[in-house]
Amino acid sequence: MNLKQFAKELNLSISAVSKALRDSHEISEKTKQMVLDKARELNYQVNPFASSLRKQKSKTIAVVIPEIDNNFFALAIKGVEMIAQEKGYHVLIYLTHEDVQKEVSVTKILQNGRVDGVMISVSSQTTDISHLQGLKENGIPLVFFDRVTEKITAPKITTDDYNSGIKATEHLIENGCEKIAFLSVSENLSISNKRLAGYVDTLKRNKINYDDKLIIRCSQNIEENKKILKKLLEKKIKPDGIFASVESLALTTYEVCNELNIKIPDDIKIIGFSNLRTASLLSPSLSTITQPAYEIGREAASILFTLIEKSGYNGIPENTVIKSTLTERKSTRK
Amino acid sequence: MNLKQFAKELNLSISAVSKALRDSHEISEKTKQMVLDKARELNYQVNPFASSLRKQKSKTIAVVIPEIDNNFFALAIKGVEMIAQEKGYHVLIYLTHEDVQKEVSVTKILQNGRVDGVMISVSSQTTDISHLQGLKENGIPLVFFDRVTEKITAPKITTDDYNSGIKATEHLIENGCEKIAFLSVSENLSISNKRLAGYVDTLKRNKINYDDKLIIRCSQNIEENKKILKKLLEKKIKPDGIFASVESLALTTYEVCNELNIKIPDDIKIIGFSNLRTASLLSPSLSTITQPAYEIGREAASILFTLIEKSGYNGIPENTVIKSTLTERKSTRK
DNA sequence: ATTATTTGCGAAAACGTTTTCGTAAATTTT
DNA sequence: AAAATTTACGAAAACGTTTTCGCAAATAAT
């Protein structure tokens, strides 16, 4: 069913029907009503491709994320989708699996106008950002969330990572830790580095000397990380505190401690970034820094939509920071 | 950058360039190479809307799910996205939040050809399925996964829910339970009913008399469920075993047991469907039926793509069942 | 050396909208 | 009552592809 047939049914012109459907003032109320009624009767839906082609607008955004089986990103998407649905937008999902190559190929594909805007949380391997610059050059609005990069000017929605790094480290120190390991995923991830900076500065302020053997670079692979952590925890001078900069690493630490029979929190205390509902049900319950993932998704989407709809509008802050919260549980108890 | 400008640069016709890009045999190898080189140089990308409009194909599928902050669905999407990326398809996500109305409006929107196919896991409130029938009538291939409905003919990918219901119930009985509650989310959800049927039949086979006060209908709301479960567990004749038919209910049970100081597994044993990585880290570790979510996503996507690409092909089974696995942990220990 | 066939390309017609512009008829203003 | 304006609609030109046809030139077959 297309406009041509539709128009014929009503003995109207294609343009009249089109205008009526878009509630144009050029069409009388009477015919508008007639058209609307007929549209309902025929279950007429405009062809999105014809419409997008003509209007040069897709009413679609893309969300590019490194992984989805991670409550943080799942919740962020939930937030995005909520706003998108309100605004009548469609949401395309692309997973990069932490692979820059995939990130590059995805952004290339998105340059052709398929989407009106892009939200991205960069992969942990991303250093060169020319592919993202490419999007901007093609006039496609871009918003970063959580995993941002300083190298490009665009709205960025994050949590207070530096501050959270401080809070987590202070929390461990207050509970008696003196030798705190920082588990990181990548040296070129802004969130990792900011959290690390908070950790380093807090050690300094507490006159604990910084030992770079305690900055543990982990990988994306759980089994590999287990090996790395086993090596760390089997040392005779093993750390007495662990600050996991991402959820997965906190869990891996738990698993390794179980295997090595290391008691949390007696032998070692753990705090980690996490959005797990089960944090409080773990054995022992896990002290966490929780990011407001859903709100981040909503906020990022809102900003993207104003970017799309009010091009030229200058009131959008480059950085939006939403605070995360520290929840103290048994894994850090004295 | 469009074909017209592109063609002018090479002093070729639009059609020649278009054909060259699609590797047509009508074009000589020499000019094909020239066109391909130029395409790379100019970073030419075909306009997806013009192409879709002309070809009546969108290279896009939709995934409609009730929620995303649930590891099962997150993993399923991961599987779908993997296959889609291999096949060069795009993936649109729609969340219904267990709301039929949203499901109906989403499927209406999808009827206009925006997507080449739809994958859906129906909301727990869905009973009338005319909106899904509508998709089929519009010639849009449809595949169900996990939450299927018998009322419509279409490929369905599920786990062996009936069998899993049996396994879980038997496991509880073997470990000494005699009064097993079944926590259900919805009376009109096939998975819920099949799991329930397995439970009922197993009780019968073990000569345990069935008590319909032990079939607990829960809601989507965590707080409400807490109230319901508290009421159940505060009874003097409270159950000695819980079979949670979805992940969220197992966790709520844990939370309520903590609040009421009921000891798992001594006072009550729990088994639940779940894809949580943290199942083994809970206190106590949770015995689970784990569904191969990722594989379900992959399989459902694969089937959808053959449906799309080989229309008329009859070799697709109406039902594909992928087994789930029972993992025994401490929450059901004797 | 003709005729038949193949090769390589271009013109033009879709695909289904949206939007500009033109223009009768209806209405308002002088 | 004539002129000016407004109202309500239609014709037609985009939007950027893909694909069918047509047709020269090149090659192959007689």
Side-chain angles (χ1 to χ4, degrees), chain B residues 210-271:
Chain B
Y210 162 88
D211 178 357
D212 75 4
K213 283 194 211 70
L214 287 174
I215 313 297
I216 315 294
R217 304 268 175 233
C218 299
S219 74
Q220 306 307 326
N221 182 286
I222 293 181
E223 289 312 314
E224 235 174 84
N225 290 343
K226 276 194 182 172
K227 279 183 202 156
I228 294 171
L229 291 181
K230 268 186 193 167
K231 217 158 121 188
L232 174 72
L233 297 179
E234 275 171 342
K235 273 186 196 161
K236 36 191 178 300
I237 43 158
K238 71 170 202 306
D240 58 7
I242 297 266
F243 176 11
S245 70
V246 299
E247 184 175 283
S248 157
L249 293 176
L251 299 184
T252 308
T253 308
Y254 264 59
E255 286 159 0
V256 169
C257 285
N258 275 353
E259 285 183 39
L260 299 182
N261 220 357
I262 296 174
K263 298 290 171 217
I264 311 170
D266 299 338
D267 300 340
I268 198 167
K269 302 191 199 316
I270 304 180
I271 189 167

Side-chain angles (χ1 to χ4, degrees), chain A residues 231-269:
Chain A
K231 217 159 118 191
L232 173 72
L233 297 179
E234 275 170 343
K235 276 187 194 161
K236 38 193 176 304
I237 42 156
K238 69 170 205 304
D240 57 7
I242 295 265
F243 177 11
S245 71
V246 300
E247 182 174 286
S248 158
L249 293 175
L251 299 184
T252 308
T253 308
Y254 265 59
E255 286 158 1
V256 170
C257 285
N258 274 353
E259 284 181 39
L260 298 181
N261 220 0
I262 295 174
K263 298 291 172 217
I264 312 171
D266 299 338
D267 300 340
I268 196 167
K269 303 192 200 314

Side-chain angles (χ1 to χ4, degrees), chain A residues 3 15 18 22 44 47 50 54:
Chain A
L3 271 186
S15 46
S18 175
R22 332 202 84 250
Y44 171 79
N47 180 305
R54 179 58 231 247

